[in-house]
Amino acid sequence: VPNYALVLGSAWTQNALTKSGMVKVLKADGTEATYDINWKASARGGTLLVNQHDSTLSQKVTILLDCTGIGSAVTDALNETAISIAAELAERMLADGISVSVISNGIDTVDGKMLSTGELTGRNTALYLRRRLARLECRNDLTPMPQLLRTLHDGAHGSDLYVLISKEQKLPVLPDLEALTEGSDAIWILPEDRNMPERYKLTETS
């Protein structure tokens, strides 16, 4: 029985991947794979042969953005840095064809609710995301990040990659992050402002 796949992009499509013969396909089992046509081997063998690229990146990424705290120059600077990191990271992943969701305890000043973008796909959604992040309000009375992680646990997908962006240096947040990811890999980014006093900077053991 032949296996069929939907071509998502190739060197001959509008969103060209390479000019050497790269093809990205959606396979029958729902997974994606990228192949490079091996022209020399194909010529020798008389049939089309490809090299498969194994991607280590999850196709779905959830960014967890902590906006707790306001009032001091250091805290405000770290919040601003954290939001900038979230925007830049999401934009790069969207451009690479990775689906992104952003969830934050920060309050959207338009609807008065915690930010939850839902799943975003395609580079065209980057501007929408930047606008949502630009109207985030950081406060001292926000839902603590460990509590937010626990509320997300029931809807979590173990195959997704979770990226926590938080200036929180207390290790108690780790059990909730590990429970959310169900043993899968996660990334914890600690924002830092280069202009802050040395005594406030994060240490290697933080």
Side-chain angles (χ1 to χ4, degrees), residues 32-182:
E32 296 180 7
T34 301
Y35 301 89
D36 243 330
I37 297 175
N38 190 325
W39 298 110
K40 291 183 178 179
S42 298
R44 289 195 301 267
T47 185
L48 192 63
L49 300 175
V50 297
N51 299 323
Q52 183 174 359
H53 295 262
D54 293 323
S55 175
T56 58
L57 292 175
S58 169
Q59 293 301 308
K60 293 184 179 180
V61 174
T62 299
I63 297 176
L64 306 166
L65 176 59
D66 184 9
C67 291
T68 306
I70 194 173
S72 72
V74 172
T75 299
D76 294 345
L78 290 177
N79 284 334
E80 183 177 343
T81 301
I83 293 173
S84 296
I85 292 172
E88 293 291 338
L89 186 60
E91 188 168 346
R92 291 188 182 187
M93 290 187 291
L94 288 169
D96 288 339
I98 300 173
S99 299
V100 178
S101 300
V102 179
I103 299 173
S104 175
N105 56 359
I107 302 299
D108 188 318
T109 56
V110 172
D111 60 20
K113 299 178 181 179
M114 290 191 296
L115 175 66
S116 181
T117 65
E119 186 175 331
L120 303 176
T121 58
R123 65 175 69 233
N124 292 335
T125 58
L127 180 58
Y128 163 79
L129 176 58
R130 282 189 175 274
R131 288 173 176 170
R132 294 292 304 273
L133 290 173
R135 64 194 201 208
L136 266 184
E137 181 182 10
C138 299
R139 301 193 325 216
N140 291 321
D141 60 348
L142 297 179
T143 301
M145 213 59 195
Q147 181 180 335
L148 177 59
L149 296 180
R150 289 193 293 270
T151 62
L152 296 173
H153 183 266
D154 290 340
H157 302 282
S159 59
D160 293 1
L161 175 64
Y162 288 86
V163 180
L164 173 63
I165 304 176
S166 174
K167 59 186 174 296
E168 176 63 64
Q169 299 183 53
K170 297 180 181 178
L171 294 182
V173 73
L174 285 178
D176 296 302
L177 181 60
E178 291 174 350
L180 178 65
T181 60
E182 298 179 352

Side-chain angles (χ1 to χ4, degrees), residues 14-37:
Q14 181 176 343
N15 56 336
L17 299 175
T18 71
K19 296 182 180 179
S20 60
M22 183 179 285
V23 179
K24 183 178 182 181
V25 300
L26 176 64
K27 297 190 290 186
D29 61 1
T31 60
E32 296 180 7
T34 301
Y35 301 89
D36 243 330
I37 297 175

